[in-house]
């Protein structure tokens, strides 16, 4: 995924499914470098991670 698409998803009111390593995640923010983002696992764990946006996939 590229930075422009991450920005579009963040500003959208739609529930857009994004996966990281096969796991559904919410994108919280795009970092200033434009290459990484903070994501949170969907579900009860609410675990946040910083990931490379090139590894995010939209479904």
């Amino acid at each position: 995924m590229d930075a422009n698409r991450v920005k579009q998803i963040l500003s959208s009111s739609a529930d857009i499914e994004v996966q990281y390593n096969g796991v559904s995640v919410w994108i919280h923010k795009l970092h200033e470098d434009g290459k990484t983002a903070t994501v949170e696992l969907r579900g009860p764990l609410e675990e946040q991670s910083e990931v490379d946006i090139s590894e995010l996939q939209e479904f």
Side-chain angles (χ1 to χ4, degrees):
M1 186 173 296
D2 65 24
N4 286 333
R5 185 60 185 140
V6 172
K7 289 176 187 175
Q8 290 172 349
I9 291 171
L10 285 169
S11 65
S12 174
S13 61
D15 183 11
I16 300 168
E17 184 174 354
V18 176
Q19 291 190 357
Y20 173 69
N21 288 339
V23 178
S24 189
V25 296
W26 294 105
I27 302 172
H28 277 284
K29 74 174 189 175
L30 179 64
H31 296 188
E32 289 184 18
D33 64 8
K35 297 178 182 179
T36 58
T38 298
V39 299
E40 179 179 318
L41 297 177
R42 290 188 186 215
L45 296 179
E46 298 181 2
E47 180 182 330
Q48 291 189 3
S49 300
E50 183 176 324
V51 301
D52 190 316
I53 64 170
S54 66
E55 297 181 39
L56 297 174
Q57 294 183 313
E58 182 178 347
F59 285 86

